[in-house]
Amino acid sequence: MNYKILPMDIECYPNYLLIGIKDTRGQYHLIDSPEGLDFFFPYLDNIVFAGYNSVNYDSVILDYVLTYYKTKSWDRIVKDCHKLTVNLIEKGHSRFQIRSSWNIEPLSNHLDLIFYNMNMGLKELGIRMHHDLLDTLPIDPTKELTPDEIQTIRKYNMNDLDITEKLLNEVQSRQVEAKRNLIDSFEL
């Protein structure tokens, strides 16, 4: 199967939802409306999204959006995604509970990079990879964003995509090296 692995990260606020994707040419796709989804939807079978803790959070939110973006208003989706975020992060509901109770279709494929580095957070890994800008979420996720704050969150998301891309490249190079060592060891 011919597919691309693309870094993806989601930011969710009561009045704003951002799905950030970085393509193989290094371009950022900052989706905060249904029109941006229309661009990616036809290619979903050929994309694997890479994120950090994405199976437990980002995949649930993205699949909710993909399940309902043609049948619900964007404002309703943003509000619902914020409720999902609260349930997943603050209340600790499992992704299985959420997917079942909200009738969320599994429409996207994900590679969760947390499985390769379970002892550290994304920012700690960014330090180890000598990433230039390390920032925690700059605005409380329960706050409604102003237009200026939306721009701040967009920049924050792009930086997280850069860190995720570095981590993805590191994981891929380690896997390739492990396969080479196996081939050399067994003279395959």
Side-chain angles (χ1 to χ4, degrees), residues 45-151:
D45 289 339
N46 298 320
I47 297 172
V48 174
F49 294 108
Y52 202 77
N53 198 26
S54 62
V55 169
N56 289 319
Y57 177 72
D58 302 82
S59 71
V60 177
I61 301 297
L62 180 61
D63 284 347
Y64 176 82
V65 172
L66 294 172
T67 298
Y68 294 108
Y69 86 100
K70 291 192 181 220
T71 59
K72 293 184 178 186
S73 73
W74 188 255
D75 287 340
R76 175 80 264 150
I77 286 174
V78 170
K79 285 177 180 32
D80 286 349
C81 286
H82 190 261
K83 286 179 189 174
L84 290 170
T85 298
V86 168
N87 285 328
L88 287 163
I89 294 174
E90 291 178 23
K91 295 184 179 177
H93 294 173
S94 77
R95 66 181 188 264
F96 304 109
Q97 284 177 299
I98 297 293
R99 284 181 178 278
S100 174
S101 63
W102 288 70
N103 298 315
I104 299 172
E105 298 290 325
L107 296 172
S108 59
N109 303 303
H110 291 265
L111 168 64
D112 197 334
L113 299 172
I114 199 169
F115 296 121
Y116 298 94
N117 299 283
M118 292 174 125
N119 332 2
M120 289 182 254
L122 184 61
K123 304 310 185 272
E124 290 174 283
L125 291 165
I127 291 168
R128 288 183 178 226
M129 293 182 295
H130 306 288
H131 191 72
D132 295 335
L133 178 60
L134 299 166
D135 196 8
T136 57
L137 191 62
I139 301 166
D140 178 354
T142 63
K143 181 182 185 299
E144 294 216 1
L145 299 179
T146 66
D148 286 342
E149 290 170 329
I150 286 172
Q151 293 310 310

Side-chain angles (χ1 to χ4, degrees), residues 6 31 35 40 53 72 100 122 132-133 162 175 177:
L6 303 179
I31 301 166
E35 293 77 29
F40 276 98
N53 198 26
K72 293 184 178 186
S100 174
L122 184 61
D132 295 335
L133 178 60
D162 291 341
Q175 284 187 343
E177 188 61 33

